[in-house]
Structures are given as C-alpha cells and as structure tokens.
Amino acid sequence: MAPRAHVAVYKALYKSFGGFAADVVAAIDQAAQDGVDVLSLSITPNRRPPGIATFFNPIDMALLSAVKAGIFAVQAAGNTGPSPKSMSSFSPWIFTVGAASHDRAYSNSVILGNNVTIHGVGLAPGTHKNTMLTLISALDALTNETTAATDMYVGECQDSRNFNRDLVKGNLLICSYSIRFVLGLSTIKQAIATAKNLSAAGVVFYMDPFVIGFQLNPIPMRVPGIIIPSPDDSKVLLQYYNSSLERNETTKQITRFGSVARILGGLKANYSNSAPKVMFYSARGPDPEDSFLNNADILKPNLVAPGNLIWAAWSSLGTDSVEFQGENFAMMSGTSMAAPHIAGLAALIKQKFPSFSPAAIASALSTTASLYDNNGGQIMAQRAYSNPDINQSPATPFDMGSGFVNATGALDPGLIFDSRYDDYMSFLCGINGSSPVVLNYTGQNCLSYNSTINGIDLNLPSITIAKLYQSKTVQRSVTNIAGEETYRVGWSAPYGVTIKVEPTRFCIASGERKVLSVFVDAKMNSSTASYGRIGLFGDQGHVVNIPLSVIVKVAYNTTTNV
C-alpha cells in the first residue's frame, strides 16, 4: 500500500504455544522506542480481558502510550463474526478494521459430457484445449488388494499404491473432499501427487455432504484440477458419473466408463463480482456492554477494508498450511489481511500530512469511506457462516463502521475530527473506580484532570448513542485542513428519532475550527439500533460522512390530556 515505507517487524507470538500479552506489550514498546509512525496488529484478544473495564487491558493501554507518542495504531477486528457484539476490543484510540470482499475472483469450472457446467475453486490449469476426458472415480480404480472396506478413506486419493495405474492413466480422477481435509489429516497436495504418480490428466474433488458451510479458498494445483465446494453440485457430478457406467449384467463389474468432462481452469482472475461486502467472519459491534461501564458510545469497527482472498507473501518454508508449502505467495482471508491495508494507507496520509495526530489520520480514513458497492448499490453484509451470499442484508455501521475504505478520498478529507491523548485520559478517568487502574498503567493521577468526559463526548468522526433517554445534545468539532470552503449540512435520522444539526451552513477558513451541535430527540422506544447519517457537503467538492447509531430506551410520552 505504501511501497517506500520502511517495515519493521517485531515477533511476539509463536506457532508452538502462541504467546502472552506481555510479549505483545514489549513489542509495542520497542516499536515506539524505535520511532515507528504506524503500528499494525493483526491480532485481537480471544476473549474480552477481565478487569474494571474492557479498555483496561495491557495491550490496549500499551497502544494508548503509543498514541501518546504520535503513533497510529491499527488492529484487526477479529474473525468471530457474524454475530452482533462479537468484537473483543473497543478502545477509541485504536483504529479497528473489519474484512470485506473485493471484486477479483478466481473461478474454476468443470463441463460434463451432458453439457452441465459445475463451478468450483482451484488455482489450477485447465485440461488440454477442448478435449473431453473420461472420468473415473478413485473408488472404481482400486487395485485387487485394496477395497473401501479395508481403507474407508481410500476415496481421498492419498496413496497412489491403492490404485490401478492402467485405469487412471490419461483420465480425470474423481476424489472425495472430506472433513479430514479441513482437519489437515488429508491434503490436496498429496492427492495431486497421487494423480501425478498415476499419470492422471487431472483431478476433480467432490464435497462430502458432512462438510457443511466450510468456505474454501482457491488452492494452488500443479495439474488440471477443481474442487466442487457445494454438496448439491457434487451430487450432480456423481449422479452423472454413476448413470454413465456400463456393467456386466452377471458380475456387475464395470465394463465401460461412459462419463466425460473437461476442466476450464482457474488461473486467470475475473473482476465481475459485486463488491465490497462485509464478510461473514468479520467481527461486529455494537460497543461493549461492560459490567463497569454500561455502554461506551463508541462505534466499532471503524472501517472495513479488503480482507478476503488476499494475495499474501508466504515463506516457501512455512508449515502453517500444507497446501502452500513451497509457495512464495498464498491467498488468505481474515481481518488480519484487512488491517495492513489501512496501515499502509495511514503511512501515505502521514507522509502527506506529517503533523497529523493519530486521531486525525483515523478521521481522514473514516469520513471519506465509501457507502456503496461497485454497482452503486448498498454495501451488503453476510449474516451466516453457511451460504453467506444467500444470507445477507444491507450493512450497518455496526458491521462496517464508517464504510469501505476510500484510499483517494482519505488523502484529501477536507475536514478532520481531532482528539488528543488528554481526551482519552479524561474519558478513562470518567469511568467509576478507574483512578487506581489509570495510575497503575499510565503513572498519572486522575485528580490532575479537572473534568472527565463520556464516550459520546469524544470528538470521534461518528456518533453512537447506546442508550438514548428522551433527548441528547452531542457536539463535534471539525478543523479545516484544506482551503477556505463553505459547507452545507444534511442528514437522515435513525428510525424513531428526530435530529437537527446546527449550523446548517457554514464557511470555514483554512486551519479554522468549527463546532457542530447535534440535537437528538427520541420519538418511540426501541430495543434495537437504528441508523442515520450526517453529511457535510463542501462547495469545493469535499464530502464528510458521519454515521449515526441510536438505541432508544425511553421516548417522550406524546399523549396529551384535553
């Protein structure tokens, strides 16, 4: 994302045993001492840390110290979605990134002899030209010494000694993809080795019906091959195959393999997908329900970025995935892939605006985010692990934060919402009983802060009111980092709420600061969040978007006695 950035790597976790928060804190402290500008953490707590409040955990407090030193801290939201409140980290000084898809896809297909096309995955070449090749199931190509009864997993094609080479040679070998592949007990790589040893022309994997809802990433294959991820499509393949077999009426032995197919291949990317959409695994808000802090009124995640099917650098000696051993790149998915996108863009923003605070960088990224997909429609969010593209609905701020990152817009935000270290300290000191914890972590006494603030009072580029009792006035301060510009203010109110913003129009000089007042009134109770948006539209082309999320707890009684 930032090709000329210097990358410093700090190792704190190990495959054999993981690691401890203290190791991560030590890495953060060392990076701060080394003078880094941006911290990228593709890690999140596996559960909410215990203690006085969610914010007071060692890693978050170490990142607060980094922010004090002017370092922009980016953290992956976690892969615990799609359930609401599935995030584990909510600190306002950390920029939390969720994962979205992009429009690049590697699709693979197999065309059967009955003209049925079945789609699948696999970074594999296709079969030679348009030649149709005979299909032969591994279970029908066993040697006389091997039976499915003696080896119940023989259909997974893990050992070439189990098969009759004369039968398989030059044909497409059909293998099963079972839960053992998911667990790493069987591998695509070994099945490919089997196919090569038998001189097969290619491999077709069908999905075992017991593997439900498992999402397959494209896997590199050195021979023509395809994995059919759908059990229903796999059934279509097997029905065609079995119906084309000819058997001896007396012995029932197969006399002819009548099914044929060709594999189109999946090495070439296409860009026809509707994108972005929030991935099912991306952790969701809203903000924490903390036993010591009812609701923090802080929007999480802050943003979503490309995190699905990302080409990632990979050590050819890496053993984390058997399928990618020997490769220099791997296609990976997760919020850990999304966070570095934002870290790189933050470096570009810091290069253009060296004086920007971490909060200013966060504001530039947030207020310019896109709200629409590449077809001009609403960004969708997947709602289920199984069949995620069927179970989806429009993304809310608790799914995608301010929206999908807009790299170009972030470098020219027009207005910024800025916050400083002392603002975060005032927020922490406003939590009941927090003084000893703040002193322990920061060495600062809350008594030195004359006033404290709530989460809603932080100058964030979003407004979240987790419990609206009748009405509330929220203030936000914007600073112009561009030329003089006149802005008009527009808004859409959340359901059951009326809002008003003052001023509705203002002229702001370069470097000038302006305070906006947002008046929120509840009209009806609601147990679920509703969403709106405030937009600032400049006459020089700058557009500033502010997501608004409200849960009404007590509305005005509008009944009047006459």
Side-chain angles (χ1 to χ4, degrees):
M1 302 304 294
R4 295 188 179 183
H6 175 74
V7 179
V9 180
Y10 301 84
K11 185 170 182 62
L13 304 177
Y14 294 81
K15 182 184 178 183
S16 57
F17 68 94
F20 302 96
D23 300 322
V24 180
V25 168
I28 293 169
D29 290 345
Q30 185 62 55
Q33 291 179 33
D34 293 343
V36 303
D37 296 296
V38 179
L39 276 169
S40 180
L41 287 85
S42 286
I43 57 170
T44 53
N46 54 12
R47 62 184 182 276
R48 290 188 186 175
I52 184 173
T54 303
F55 312 100
F56 293 107
N57 70 77
I59 294 177
D60 285 40
M61 295 307 293
L63 291 173
L64 178 59
S65 296
V67 168
K68 182 181 181 182
I71 301 170
F72 181 70
V74 187
Q75 187 174 34
N79 302 326
T80 50
S83 300
K85 305 179 184 179
S86 50
M87 289 189 55
S88 299
S89 181
F90 302 88
S91 297
W93 52 87
I94 301 172
F95 198 83
T96 309
V97 186
S101 65
H102 49 73
D103 63 351
R104 184 188 66 222
Y106 290 86
S107 57
N108 199 345
S109 300
V110 57
I111 300 177
L112 306 180
N114 58 1
N115 291 323
V116 172
T117 298
I118 299 177
H119 300 287
V121 298
L123 294 168
T127 48
H128 183 65
K129 296 183 179 179
N130 294 323
T131 306
M132 301 294 282
L133 300 170
T134 299
L135 289 164
I136 182 165
S137 170
L139 296 176
D140 294 327
L142 301 177
T143 62
N144 293 331
E145 293 77 25
T146 306
T147 65
T150 58
D151 184 352
M152 62 185 298
Y153 305 114
V154 70
E156 297 171 6
C157 305
Q158 297 298 292
D159 188 345
S160 60
R161 294 172 297 180
N162 292 327
F163 304 102
N164 184 330
R165 187 175 186 275
D166 293 334
L167 279 176
V168 176
K169 184 178 180 180
N171 297 324
L172 294 177
L173 180 64
I174 299 178
C175 306
S176 64
Y177 189 102
S178 75
I179 192 66
R180 288 167 52 85
F181 285 81
V182 180
L183 299 174
L185 301 176
S186 297
T187 67
I188 297 293
K189 179 164 286 194
Q190 187 56 45
I192 295 296
T194 295
K196 283 185 174 181
N197 288 338
L198 298 173
S199 299
V203 189
V204 178
F205 294 90
Y206 67 89
M207 187 63 67
D208 188 292
F210 292 104
V211 185
I212 300 174
F214 181 67
Q215 301 298 306
L216 275 171
N217 288 336
I219 295 171
M221 303 183 194
R222 300 299 185 188
V223 301
I226 185 173
I227 309 170
I228 301 171
S230 164
D232 290 338
D233 288 342
S234 297
K235 189 181 296 184
V236 171
L237 168 72
L238 294 178
Q239 286 175 343
Y240 165 67
Y241 172 78
N242 288 321
S243 67
S244 303
L245 293 175
E246 295 181 9
R247 297 180 182 271
N248 182 292
E249 292 185 6
T250 304
T251 65
K252 301 302 180 183
Q253 288 186 326
I254 298 172
T255 57
R256 180 174 176 269
F257 296 94
S259 60
V260 293
R262 63 188 176 95
I263 300 171
L264 297 187
L267 292 175
K268 187 176 181 180
N270 64 69
Y271 298 87
S272 59
N273 280 5
S274 176
K277 62 180 64 176
V278 183
M279 299 308 298
F280 64 92
Y281 52 77
S282 187
R284 314 294 167 91
D287 51 3
E289 291 187 353
D290 201 298
S291 58
F292 287 86
L293 187 68
N294 286 335
N295 289 93
D297 294 328
I298 296 166
L299 178 63
K300 291 291 177 176
N302 295 87
L303 205 66
V304 292
N308 200 59
L309 301 181
I310 303 299
W311 278 114
W314 186 268
S315 169
S316 60
L317 302 178
T319 58
D320 286 44
S321 172
V322 175
E323 311 301 355
F324 289 105
Q325 282 184 7
E327 303 288 340
N328 292 319
F329 291 90
M331 190 169 283
M332 304 181 71
S333 298
T335 57
S336 291
M337 298 293 101
H341 281 83
I342 299 301
L345 292 176
L348 295 179
I349 296 171
K350 185 72 173 178
Q351 181 185 40
K352 184 174 181 180
F353 302 102
S355 63
F356 264 21
S357 68
I361 297 174
S363 174
L365 288 161
S366 298
T367 61
T368 58
S370 174
L371 304 175
Y372 303 99
D373 66 18
N374 54 358
N375 295 318
Q378 288 181 289
I379 294 175
M380 305 297 283
Q382 297 176 339
R383 303 291 178 193
Y385 188 86
S386 180
N387 299 316
D389 283 332
I390 297 175
N391 298 291
Q392 60 182 21
S393 59
T396 73
F398 291 155
D399 299 316
M400 66 174 182
S402 294
F404 183 77
V405 64
N406 177 349
T408 304
L411 290 168
D412 185 22
L415 304 177
I416 59 167
F417 297 79
D418 207 357
S419 297
R420 300 291 173 177
Y421 172 77
D422 285 350
D423 298 322
Y424 303 130
M425 288 294 293
S426 295
F427 162 67
L428 292 175
C429 287
I431 301 172
N432 289 334
S434 65
S435 293
V437 187
V438 172
L439 181 64
N440 179 56
Y441 273 116
T442 69
Q444 293 181 262
N445 197 317
C446 282
L447 295 176
S448 61
Y449 290 87
N450 296 325
S451 61
T452 59
I453 60 176
N454 297 319
I456 191 67
D457 302 315
L458 287 167
N459 196 39
L460 303 175
S462 59
I463 297 174
T464 304
I465 307 174
K467 292 183 179 179
L468 177 61
Y469 296 102
Q470 297 184 347
S471 64
K472 195 168 191 66
T473 300
V474 180
Q475 290 192 324
R476 289 291 186 267
S477 172
V478 294
T479 303
N480 186 10
I481 55 97
E484 182 176 307
E485 194 164 0
T486 298
Y487 284 84
R488 62 177 178 86
V489 183
W491 59 83
S492 61
Y495 178 75
V497 172
T498 62
I499 67 170
K500 181 181 178 182
V501 184
E502 291 183 354
T504 58
R505 185 180 180 88
F506 60 91
C507 181
I508 185 168
S510 179
E512 186 181 354
R513 179 173 166 268
K514 180 72 69 174
V515 176
L516 303 176
S517 296
V518 182
F519 305 95
V520 186
D521 289 301
K523 295 304 178 185
M524 61 181 68
N525 292 341
S526 175
S527 59
T528 59
S530 55
Y531 309 99
R533 197 162 291 274
I534 299 170
L536 311 179
F537 305 93
D539 61 3
Q540 300 301 310
H542 292 110
V543 177
V544 178
N545 281 303
I546 308 164
L548 177 61
S549 310
V550 178
I551 300 177
V552 178
K553 291 301 182 183
V554 179
Y556 282 117
N557 185 351
T558 57
T559 303
T560 304
N561 294 323
V562 179

